[in-house]
Amino acid sequence: MAPHYFAGRDPHNNIIFVQRPAHVDFELMRMNNATIEDLLLHYVYVIQYCWNIMEPAPDAIMTNVLDMRGSSFRQMSNSEYIEFGKRFVSMMSANYPGRSYKTLIINAPTWINVLYKIFKPMLRESTRQKIIILKAGEEQDTALKFYLGDALPDDLLSAGGSQKDKKDMGTRYYVPLEEEEQ
């Protein structure tokens, strides 16, 4: 329903958390009798796992990567998507302030600045200063190599990953319920 994974550690030993918001599937969520609240609780579980099991130090921080590949303005203007995004940003800001080293928004479409203006007022100033928006290409790949170091997954690179990886992006991190039952 919401593809994400921990990719390793950046050069500063911070956990790297990759998310693919363009692949949040509300139809799949409904087919599995899940709600936006369930999706938010899942993220709480994942983040709590991160801070209690993977990196329990109270001052630990992470590098977030939001891969926008595959996103469309039509999708991002969907009221359900916007509602989830607002609640997610609000929840993270209220419960995990100061836990971010950097947030890299990669493969950013040209309209991302419009979307960012919606979420920007909900962010603390310190959080806004940690956000870096990058468009696909050589400059983005250089920035990813700098911020993620050896833990950089190939499928995040503009020229990296196989064509199959790009086609299936977002589907390899979860198995829909109907496919499990077959």
Side-chain angles (χ1 to χ4, degrees):
M1 292 183 291
H4 56 273
Y5 63 98
F6 293 103
R9 293 185 178 268
D10 69 18
H12 300 287
N13 205 32
N14 303 317
I15 291 173
I16 300 168
F17 186 47
V18 177
Q19 302 172 73
R20 292 202 161 97
H23 296 282
V24 172
D25 190 337
F26 292 109
E27 183 61 32
L28 180 62
M29 180 184 74
R30 284 187 287 282
M31 287 172 38
N32 287 288
N33 296 315
T35 64
I36 288 178
E37 189 66 29
D38 294 328
L39 195 52
L40 291 168
L41 287 174
H42 170 74
Y43 269 102
V44 168
Y45 175 81
V46 169
I47 299 303
Q48 287 297 321
Y49 177 84
C50 173
W51 298 131
N52 289 293
I53 305 298
M54 294 176 66
E55 187 58 69
D59 59 345
I61 53 178
M62 74 168 56
T63 297
N64 294 291
V65 179
L66 299 176
D67 184 357
M68 301 301 291
R69 189 177 302 166
S71 63
S72 68
F73 187 73
R74 182 177 180 187
Q75 177 188 32
M76 298 300 163
S77 63
N78 175 306
S79 62
E80 191 172 34
Y81 195 92
I82 294 294
E83 176 64 21
F84 169 73
K86 285 181 177 179
R87 289 181 64 190
F88 177 78
V89 169
S90 178
M91 175 188 73
M92 295 300 285
S93 183
N95 294 294
Y96 306 102
R99 286 292 201 155
S100 177
Y101 170 64
K102 292 287 181 198
T103 297
L104 309 173
I105 301 173
I106 65 169
N107 297 308
T110 54
W111 49 262
I112 195 72
N113 291 320
V114 172
L115 187 64
Y116 182 64
K117 286 180 183 180
I118 293 170
F119 292 104
K120 190 174 179 179
M122 293 181 280
L123 303 173
R124 299 168 194 261
E125 181 58 33
S126 60
T127 301
R128 287 184 217 151
Q129 294 175 1
K130 297 174 186 177
I131 295 173
I132 301 169
I133 300 175
L134 301 161
K135 293 183 181 185
E138 196 173 313
E139 187 177 316
Q140 173 181 284
D141 290 351
T142 301
L144 286 170
K145 289 173 187 171
F146 175 78
Y147 287 111
L148 305 184
D150 293 337
L152 172 60
D154 287 342
D155 64 340
L156 294 183
L157 293 170
S158 298
S162 70
Q163 291 297 25
K164 181 184 183 315
D165 286 344
K166 289 182 182 184
K167 178 180 163 259
D168 295 339
M169 197 165 305
T171 59
R172 64 183 178 177
Y173 302 111
Y174 63 92
V175 178
L177 184 63
E178 67 273 11
E179 289 183 19
E180 289 179 9
E181 293 174 351
Q182 293 178 1

